[in-house]
């Protein structure tokens, strides 16, 4: 970590990355079986986005766009809103209605994007 | 509890600068209710834990391992439970049960037994005539006087004015007594006429030399009549002692405290709902007829939008699910399609005169919509649970100073309704979403409204503004800091929070009060509040090392890297020993690597200082070098094996580096040392959930929530675990935060 304005989401996605290697993580991979691309913007959707791919086919989290074809669904959020959704503070459907989450691709694939697929960080 | 909360509204009533006598009613109520409230507090003691835990915990609590400064107060044995505070209250409340039985009678909503009055009258009169009770310090005179007032309520006998010595009440005191006695009386005498109640209150106020009319605009009864109607209704429907009633009363009193003047309430109601109300709608329509000319010039853009939404509404309406049909979301869309709401300047507004087209048909539609609204309103009135919801919703909307509808509508308009509607319509049309999805969309919208309701509070806390509890029984307490410290030592974190809040309300510059409050919140698993409190502590004492470290930890928990780094570096810079290592040029632009290097230097300088290793461990968490972090915490634990918060830090680090099984062992150590450590219980839940053991995680979350139901995080995580464990049957209990049900279903 070199800079101070690292995204909060990065911590969660890092945890996710490791989590997908555990037994519980593998169960989730099996259940979802889709590829999500996540565009995270520090302040405003569409600006300075950092792109991640969560591959629930292979069980991987990578920085950058999906290289194996077309992602099943592409989400765009602000950093803060992604954290809220991943931690169960905000319902994804509500986020969508508010415009806090934008979706491209299959809506049915998007409906599997729920807080329970994310591991929760523990607090010191 | 409702009664206690009603009369102890405290904070809003306290007169700055005056002594505790500013809160005589609060003291009285505390005194009277103390016995029952006390019983509840005690349940929070670690009774269900192994008996040895107390022995382990209490000596430890006074040991040097406590986070932060030590306290030199004599140690109170847990068994005695008699801090000065409580003893005082018990002694004041000689007639302890009085208020409660009065309350029970009121709840019973039938007239008091007829044999009562004579006996009770005697008691009441005796209380008034006892010469001793009306002597002594003003506080005691006032107290016994108020007792006799409460007593008079039992028999429903008229309260007689009486001569009292000069009490020296300030104008603020008087206003406080006037306001509260008016409210109290209405609960005591719920079955009596307004005249009787006024007589009672006036007699009380007259004796205290308080001008009953001075402050009230017009007679009180008129202001409260409507609300009293609700109250009586709820009395009639709810069985005595039902929780919902209490909740409503609490709710009511909260909003009343917020608003102060019911007129404002009524006024806002008109503001918010008047425009939607069918009556004004009707008037609007009439004026539209008058200005038919204007309609010709109707805005073409809004026509197009109407067309769009009309299509959407049709698509949605084809879904026959009755739940969806009734949903407010659909109603909103239909409203748009009928032109009741228009999009103007990318903002959704109420249609005024621009709506074009066949006004007659539209009038009909709107008229229907109006009666819907009226029906719904009526429905809400009859069904008390609905009324509750309505009251809640309305109350919270109030707090936002703006209508939720408007906000939502604004949000909605930002979505580029056209695209969205089209896309949504298509997908629904293609049946992609399936039947159940429609439900979940409708639910989602309802949830969205609820979320809006909570958003203001969250906004405040995320901005670092400390949010005080609404009803705090410790306001007016002579020494809330000591009380808070005692509570904290006993592990009663939620009570400690209340006492410490009272302290910092009294002395806003008390760094120690804020600091301990922050620690209590952190241990109670509420980092937002912890940060807010710690920031105030830092304002009062900018160089306090414990405060700086606590801020660093809390910001790390909240994933706020740069803020965390700033405070951790501040710890180093202000440290008497390591301050020399800090390079002044760093403080402007902090880079993690530089900070870490400096801390490593400090650790080499004095490897026996556990604190350096702790800060270093937090720093490594920040950079997600978990192995190094674990090593640092282990080193620190060798030096401070009794520090429960250190065990929890180790556990959390292990959990975040996907070593959940090890983490659970560490949390267990923390809980052995401090059984009421809410954060460790919640972390246990997280570790089980992350291992896919959802049933177990539920038990730990529920356990944590019984100790601090205010921890929103816990509720959210519990909800997720419930769905994952296929226990959707318990979601309702979770959403309504019904711990009784949850605890019964998921004992630990």
């Amino acid at each position: 970590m070199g800079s101070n304005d690292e995204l909060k989401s990065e911590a969660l996605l890092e945890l996710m990355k490791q989590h997908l290697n555990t037994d519980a993580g593998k169960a989730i991979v099996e259940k979802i079986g889709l590829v999500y691309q996540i565009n995270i913007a520090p302040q405003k959707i569409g600006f300075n986005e950092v792109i991640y791919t969560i591959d629930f086919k292979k069980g991987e989290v990578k920085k950058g766009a999906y290289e194996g074809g077309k992602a099943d669904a592409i989400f765009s959020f602000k950093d803060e809103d992604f954290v809220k959704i991943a931690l169960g503070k905000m319902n994804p459907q509500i986020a969508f209605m508010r415009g806090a989450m934008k979706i491209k691709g299959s809506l049915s694939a998007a409906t599997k994007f729920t807080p329970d697929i994310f591991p929760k960080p523990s607090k010191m | 509890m409702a009664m206690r909360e009603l009369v102890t509204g405290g904070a809003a009533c306290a007169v700055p600068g005056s002594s505790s006598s500013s809160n005589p009613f609060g003291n009285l109520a505390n005194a009277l209710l103390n016995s029952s409230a006390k019983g509840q507090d005690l349940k929070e003691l670690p009774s269900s834990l192994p008996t040895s835990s107390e022995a382990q915990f209490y000596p430890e609590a006074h040991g040097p391992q406590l986070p932060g400064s030590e306290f030199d107060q004599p140690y109170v044995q847990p068994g005695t439970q008699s801090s000065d505070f409580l003893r005082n209250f018990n002694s004041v409340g000689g007639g302890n049960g009085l208020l409660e039985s009065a309350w029970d009678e009121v709840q019973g909503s039938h007239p008091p037994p007829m044999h009562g009055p004579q006996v009770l009258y005697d008691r009441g009169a005796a209380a008034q005539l006892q010469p001793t009770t009306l002597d002594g310090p003003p506080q005691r005179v006032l107290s016994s006087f108020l007792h006799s007032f409460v007593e008079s309520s039992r028999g429903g006998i008229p309260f007689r004015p009486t001569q009292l010595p000069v009490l020296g009440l300030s104008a603020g005191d008087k206003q406080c007594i006037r306001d509260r006695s008016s409210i109290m009386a209405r609960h005591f005498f719920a079955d009596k006429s307004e005249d009787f109640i006024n007589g009672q209150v006036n007699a009380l106020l007259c004796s205290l030399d308080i001008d009953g009319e001075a402050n009230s605009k017009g007679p009180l009864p008129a202001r409260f009549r409507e609300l009293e109607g609700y109250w009586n209704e709820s009395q009639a429907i709810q069985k005595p002692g039902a929780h919902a009633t209490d909740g409503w009363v609490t709710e009511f009193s909260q909003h009343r405290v917020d608003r102060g003047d019911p007129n404002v309430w009524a006024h806002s109601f008109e503001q918010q709902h008047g425009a939607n109300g069918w009556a004004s709608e009707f008037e609007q329509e009439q004026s539209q007829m008058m200005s038919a000319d204007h309609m010709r010039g109707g805005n073409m853009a809004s026509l197009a939008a109407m067309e769009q939404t009309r299509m959407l509404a049709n698509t949605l309406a084809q879904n026959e699910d009755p739940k969806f049909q009734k949903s407010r979301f659909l109603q909103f869309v239909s409203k748009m399609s009928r032109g009741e709401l228009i999009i103007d300047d990318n903002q959704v507004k109420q249609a005024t005169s621009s709506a074009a087209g066949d006004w007659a048909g539209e009038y009909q539609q709107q008229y229907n919509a109006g009666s819907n609204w009226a029906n719904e309103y009526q429905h809400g009135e009859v069904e008390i649970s609905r009324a509750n919801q309505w009251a809640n919703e309305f109350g919270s909307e109030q707090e936002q100073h703006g209508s939720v509808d408007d906000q939502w509508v604004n949000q909605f308009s930002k979505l580029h309704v056209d695209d969205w509607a089209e896309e949504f319509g298509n997908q629904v049309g293609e049946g992609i979403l399936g039947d159940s999805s429609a439900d979940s969309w409708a639910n989602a919208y309802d949830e969205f409204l609820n979320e809006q309701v909570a958003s203001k509070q969250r906004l405040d806390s995320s901005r670092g503004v400390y949010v005080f509890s609404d009803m705090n029984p410790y306001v007016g307490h002579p020494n809330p800091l000591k009380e808070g410290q005692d509570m904290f030592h006993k592990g009663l974190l939620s009570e400690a929070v209340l006492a410490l809040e009272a302290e910092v309300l009294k002395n806003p510059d008390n760094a120690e009060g804020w600091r301990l409050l922050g620690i209590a919140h952190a241990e109670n698993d509420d980092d937002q509040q912890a940060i807010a409190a710690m920031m105030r502590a830092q304002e009062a004492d900018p160089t306090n090392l414990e405060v700086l470290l606590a801020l660093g930890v809390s910001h790390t928990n909240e994933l706020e890297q740069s803020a965390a780094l700033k405070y951790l570096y501040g710890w180093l810079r202000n440290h008497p020993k390591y301050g020399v290592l800090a390079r002044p040029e760093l403080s402007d632009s902090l880079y993690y690597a530089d900070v870490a290097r400096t801390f490593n230097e400090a650790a080499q300088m004095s490897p026996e200082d556990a604190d350096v290793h702790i800060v270093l461990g937090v720093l490594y968490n920040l950079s997600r070098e978990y192995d190094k972090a674990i090593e640092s915490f282990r080193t620190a634990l060798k030096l401070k094996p009794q520090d429960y918060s250190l065990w929890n830090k180790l556990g959390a680090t292990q959990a975040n580096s996907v070593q959940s099984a090890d983490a659970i062992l560490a949390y267990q150590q923390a809980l052995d040392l401090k059984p009421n450590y809410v954060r460790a219980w919640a972390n246990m839940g997280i570790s089980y959930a992350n291992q896919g053991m959802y049933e177990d995680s539920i038990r730990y979350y529920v356990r944590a929530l019984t100790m601090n139901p205010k921890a929103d995080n816990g509720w959210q995580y519990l909800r997720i675990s419930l769905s994952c464990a296929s226990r959707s049957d318990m979601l309702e209990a979770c959403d309504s935060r019904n711990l009784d049900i949850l605890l019964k279903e998921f004992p630990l």
Side-chain angles (χ1 to χ4, degrees):
Chain A
M1 91 176 232
S3 76
N4 294 326
D5 38 22
E6 183 186 279
L7 297 170
K8 290 184 189 181
S9 310
E10 186 156 338
L12 289 182
L13 288 166
E14 191 66 32
L15 183 58
M16 180 91 180
K17 187 177 181 176
Q18 303 206 33
H19 182 64
L20 290 183
N21 294 322
T22 66
D23 290 345
K26 283 172 187 156
I28 292 171
V29 169
E30 208 160 293
K31 195 178 97 190
I32 308 287
L34 298 164
V35 177
Y36 292 139
Q37 182 181 316
I38 298 181
N39 303 345
I40 294 171
Q43 299 293 334
K44 195 166 177 229
I45 290 182
F47 294 86
N48 304 319
E49 286 182 335
V50 182
I51 299 174
Y52 294 90
T53 301
I54 307 180
D55 186 338
F56 283 110
K57 283 177 180 154
K58 291 188 196 157
E60 285 174 353
V61 180
K62 278 186 177 165
K63 215 165 175 170
Y66 184 47
E67 287 162 1
K70 202 178 159 212
D72 293 288
I74 300 175
F75 299 88
S76 306
F77 329 79
K78 281 193 300 183
D79 187 30
E80 212 165 288
D81 291 331
F82 172 74
V83 172
K84 280 187 192 161
I85 290 168
L87 299 188
K89 288 183 189 177
M90 195 199 280
N91 177 320
Q93 288 162 343
I94 290 166
F96 178 62
M97 284 192 182
R98 282 176 105 171
M101 175 173 88
K102 308 227 172 196
I103 306 173
K104 276 185 200 158
S106 145
L107 209 56
S108 62
T111 52
K112 287 195 184 177
F113 186 85
T114 47
D116 57 281
I117 64 178
F118 292 96
K120 304 293 170 271
S122 304
K123 291 189 167 186
M124 289 189 292
Chain B
M1 286 308 281
M3 200 59 213
R4 174 183 180 153
E5 284 163 353
L6 252 182
V7 288
T8 54
C13 249
V15 180
S18 66
S19 72
S20 59
S21 77
S22 70
N23 221 346
F25 248 99
N27 289 342
L28 169 70
N30 270 339
L32 293 172
L33 288 168
N34 187 41
S35 57
S36 63
K38 191 74 185 71
Q40 296 205 351
D41 296 344
L42 292 181
K43 282 181 203 144
E44 289 186 34
L45 274 174
S47 53
S48 60
L49 286 145
T51 43
S52 63
S53 66
E54 278 195 358
Q56 279 180 320
F57 167 59
Y58 287 106
E60 190 280 326
H62 258 267
Q65 297 80 18
L66 257 191
S69 62
E70 316 313 331
F71 308 110
D72 46 11
Q73 289 82 11
Y75 175 51
V76 180
Q77 284 298 322
T80 61
Q81 298 306 337
S82 49
S83 61
D84 291 350
F85 173 44
L86 301 173
R87 218 175 4 244
N88 285 341
F89 275 175
N90 281 328
S91 64
V92 173
N96 246 327
L98 286 181
L99 185 60
E100 280 167 281
S101 42
W103 175 245
D104 287 343
E105 245 166 75
V106 174
Q107 288 273 8
S109 74
H110 51 74
M114 284 320 290
H115 64 264
Q118 192 48 52
V119 184
L120 294 165
Y121 180 81
D122 289 347
R123 282 174 66 187
Q128 285 178 42
L129 296 175
Q130 271 171 16
T132 47
T133 57
L134 296 181
D135 275 337
Q139 182 82 38
R140 190 179 310 152
V141 175
L142 186 59
S143 176
S144 11
F145 179 68
L146 293 175
H147 267 281
S148 62
F149 175 65
V150 170
E151 192 135 7
S152 78
S153 73
R154 295 198 63 182
I157 44 117
F159 182 73
R160 292 183 310 182
T162 181
Q163 275 307 116
L164 289 174
V166 178
L167 294 172
L169 296 170
S170 73
D173 292 343
K174 288 179 177 181
Q175 187 176 338
C176 191
I177 293 174
R178 181 168 49 231
D179 290 351
R180 287 177 170 196
S181 57
S182 304
I183 296 177
M184 256 173 117
R186 271 161 186 78
H187 292 284
F188 289 148
F189 309 119
D191 53 343
K192 296 284 191 300
S193 72
E194 273 299 325
D195 289 345
F196 179 82
I197 295 172
N198 282 336
Q200 292 287 100
V201 174
N202 285 339
L204 174 80
L205 297 181
C206 177
S207 304
L208 292 171
D209 194 22
I210 296 172
D211 182 358
E213 299 302 314
N215 192 43
S216 49
K217 307 170 199 151
L220 276 168
R223 292 158 71 195
F224 286 114
R225 187 161 292 144
E226 191 191 2
L227 297 167
E228 208 179 33
Y230 285 127
W231 169 247
N232 289 336
E233 215 170 76
S234 70
Q235 287 284 33
I237 292 168
Q238 297 283 342
K239 294 285 166 258
H243 285 302
T245 315
D246 281 1
W248 192 84
V249 171
T250 313
E251 199 80 39
F252 166 65
S253 62
Q254 279 174 2
H255 294 314
R256 201 188 162 280
V257 170
D258 285 352
R259 295 288 117 198
D261 182 356
N263 285 333
V264 178
W265 192 85
H267 181 64
S268 310
F269 178 82
E270 244 174 280
Q271 269 190 344
Q272 288 197 30
H273 293 270
N276 289 340
W278 59 270
S280 56
E281 199 98 48
F282 180 76
E283 273 175 4
Q284 248 181 30
E285 290 300 327
Q286 278 194 326
S287 70
Q288 271 186 33
M289 283 167 65
M290 308 295 278
S291 58
D293 292 355
H294 288 283
M295 296 200 291
R296 301 277 172 225
N299 180 331
M300 291 316 284
S302 74
L303 271 180
M306 263 172 68
E307 194 49 43
Q308 278 281 352
T309 42
R310 191 168 287 157
M311 275 162 54
L312 173 61
N314 283 339
T315 318
L316 292 172
Q318 277 161 17
N319 186 317
E320 278 162 9
D321 187 330
K323 211 169 161 190
F324 190 65
Q325 285 290 333
K326 271 191 285 180
S327 78
R328 281 175 285 188
F329 176 61
L330 182 58
Q331 282 171 17
F332 168 75
V333 175
S334 321
K335 239 181 168 183
M336 285 245 316
S337 74
R338 288 198 303 268
E340 284 170 51
L341 297 168
I342 56 168
I343 300 185
D344 184 16
D345 239 1
N346 215 22
Q347 294 234 332
V348 179
K349 293 177 178 165
Q350 292 280 337
T352 47
S353 64
S354 68
D358 50 345
W359 57 267
E362 217 167 88
Y363 168 72
Q364 190 58 41
Q365 274 174 328
Q366 294 204 9
Y367 179 78
N368 288 343
S371 53
N372 274 345
W373 185 83
N375 282 342
E376 204 174 273
Y377 176 73
Q378 198 128 26
H379 193 56
E381 251 193 329
V382 174
E383 215 180 298
I384 192 66
S385 69
R386 285 293 304 269
N388 271 343
Q389 268 182 15
W390 180 83
N392 285 346
E393 205 169 63
F394 175 71
S396 330
E397 281 180 17
Q398 284 271 86
E399 284 172 16
Q400 297 193 23
H401 302 295
S403 125
V404 165
D405 292 339
D406 283 354
Q407 281 184 19
W408 189 79
V409 161
N410 287 340
Q411 293 284 355
F412 187 79
S413 67
K414 282 183 204 148
L415 294 179
H416 308 297
V417 173
D418 291 359
D419 303 347
W420 183 82
E422 203 174 314
E423 193 183 338
F424 187 75
N426 284 341
Q427 302 232 20
V428 171
E430 289 163 25
I432 284 176
L433 292 171
D435 283 342
S436 64
S437 297
D439 252 3
S440 69
W441 282 98
N443 289 341
Y445 176 67
D446 285 347
E447 269 181 51
F448 171 77
L449 283 185
N450 294 338
E451 190 201 60
Q452 286 280 329
V453 156
S455 67
K456 187 197 173 245
Q457 205 190 5
R458 230 179 299 134
L459 264 180
D460 277 352
S461 56
S462 65
R463 277 196 218 111
V465 177
Y466 189 85
V467 182
F468 284 95
S469 307
D470 280 329
M471 302 292 157
N472 190 337
Y474 293 96
V475 168
H477 185 274
N479 190 355
L481 178 62
K482 183 178 177 305
E483 191 65 23
Q485 289 166 336
D486 285 350
M487 296 290 190
F488 183 86
H489 283 199
K490 289 177 190 164
L492 301 173
L493 293 172
S494 296
E495 283 295 304
V497 163
L498 287 176
L500 291 165
E501 281 184 359
E503 169 65 24
V504 296
L505 280 170
K506 205 163 111 187
N507 306 313
D509 295 326
N510 184 343
E512 175 59 16
W514 282 111
R515 187 191 71 85
L516 201 58
L517 183 55
I519 289 180
H521 274 302
E523 296 194 357
N524 230 348
D525 204 28
D526 190 342
D527 271 308
Q528 293 287 353
Q529 287 280 78
I531 289 174
M534 282 297 180
M535 279 169 69
R536 296 293 298 268
Q538 205 219 354
E539 258 170 47
D541 182 1
T543 60
N544 187 308
L545 295 180
E546 281 137 6
V547 171
L548 290 166
L549 174 57
L551 278 168
V553 170
S554 283
H555 281 292
T556 307
N557 287 338
E558 293 293 294
L559 310 174
E560 288 157 1
Q561 309 241 11
S562 51
L565 204 55
K566 183 180 93 186
Y567 289 114
L568 294 176
Y569 190 67
W571 183 91
L572 189 87
R573 215 177 42 218
N574 290 299
H575 197 284
K577 199 165 158 191
Y578 314 122
V580 290
L581 296 172
R583 300 176 194 83
E585 76 271 12
L586 268 184
S587 48
D588 286 337
S589 56
L590 285 172
Y591 281 93
Y592 169 77
D594 298 332
V595 178
R597 195 176 334 112
T598 318
F599 268 99
N600 271 312
E601 286 169 29
Q604 282 161 14
M605 211 165 121
S606 47
E608 295 303 306
D609 183 351
D611 289 347
V612 186
H613 295 289
I614 294 174
V615 185
L616 204 50
V618 178
L619 264 179
Y620 285 131
N621 259 286
L622 214 48
S623 60
R624 294 194 292 275
E625 297 170 81
Y626 294 117
D627 291 344
K628 286 185 187 173
I630 290 170
E631 200 183 312
S632 299
F633 287 140
R634 285 203 184 282
T635 310
L637 272 170
K638 276 179 199 145
L639 302 162
K640 266 186 167 182
Q642 297 295 304
D643 186 336
Y644 56 83
S645 74
L646 194 43
W647 281 107
N648 178 63
K649 285 186 178 70
L650 174 66
T653 310
Q654 289 169 326
N656 287 337
S657 73
V658 208
Q659 306 171 26
S660 295
D662 293 342
I664 284 171
L665 294 177
Y667 295 143
Q668 197 59 63
Q669 293 279 350
L671 288 172
D672 285 347
L673 291 164
K674 179 155 192 171
N676 281 11
Y677 194 2
V678 180
R679 165 142 295 165
W681 287 109
N683 275 338
M684 282 275 217
I686 291 172
S687 281
Y688 280 112
N690 284 353
Q691 293 181 80
M693 299 154 81
Y694 297 110
E695 278 273 357
D696 294 292
S697 76
I698 291 170
R699 295 176 202 285
Y700 285 96
Y701 288 144
V702 170
R703 176 65 190 245
L705 287 168
T706 53
M707 285 184 280
N708 181 19
K710 287 182 182 170
D712 289 341
N713 259 340
W715 288 107
Q716 287 146 6
Y717 289 178
L718 174 63
R719 197 171 203 287
I720 294 172
S721 279
L722 283 170
S723 353
C724 288
S726 309
R727 291 305 304 265
S728 309
D729 55 317
M730 285 288 131
L731 282 180
E732 203 185 318
C734 176
D735 291 342
S736 59
R737 305 201 165 185
N738 189 334
L739 281 166
D740 292 340
I741 294 179
L742 290 165
L743 207 54
K744 209 171 145 199
E745 191 72 19
F746 304 107
L748 193 62

